[in-house]
Every structure is written in C-alpha cells, then in structure tokens.
Amino acid sequence: MQRHGWTLLFHDCLVQQLQRLHAAADRARKKDPEAAEANASVKLFRALSPLMDGSCAE
C-alpha cells in the first residue's frame, strides 16, 4: 500500500488482528444491528479502517 509517496507494509500479525476485529464487528452487527454502534469492536474497527485504508478487506 502506498500513501503520500511512502510504501506501507503491515506485519502478518497485525493483519490477522485486523481480520479478527473485522469478524467480531460483523458478528456484533448481525447479532444486534441497532446496538452495534455501541459495541467496542465496531467502534475500534471503524476508527482504524480509514487509517489503514486498503490493508484489510471489508
């Protein structure tokens, strides 16, 4: 991934953690769509996603 002329690389462990976080956020949204916005996993994934745009499929 490139941003502002820099090539950004992500360690496999970080990618795995982001994938787990994404899965947890998806589970929370499916379990209770109305309360999902208050879920910590949903909040964290939403905050991290723009910072790592393109590093984790959504």
Side-chain angles (χ1 to χ4, degrees), residues 7 49 52:
T7 299
S49 291
M52 300 190 185

Side-chain angles (χ1 to χ4, degrees), residues 1 3 8 10 14-15 18 47-56:
M1 178 171 124
R3 284 284 183 233
L8 304 176
F10 297 97
L14 176 62
V15 173
L18 289 172
L48 291 176
S49 291
L51 301 174
M52 300 190 185
D53 184 44
S55 67
C56 187

Side-chain angles (χ1 to χ4, degrees), residues 2-56:
Q2 289 203 337
R3 284 284 183 233
H4 307 289
W6 289 80
T7 299
L8 304 176
L9 305 174
F10 297 97
H11 193 278
D12 287 340
C13 291
L14 176 62
V15 173
Q16 289 173 0
Q17 285 295 98
L18 289 172
Q19 290 170 339
R20 288 184 193 132
L21 181 60
H22 186 207
D26 280 347
R27 282 192 305 273
R29 286 186 196 109
K30 288 176 186 173
K31 182 178 179 182
D32 190 352
E34 292 179 17
E37 296 308 311
N39 181 283
S41 295
V42 173
K43 288 180 182 181
L44 182 57
F45 189 75
R46 177 167 286 147
L48 291 176
S49 291
L51 301 174
M52 300 190 185
D53 184 44
S55 67
C56 187

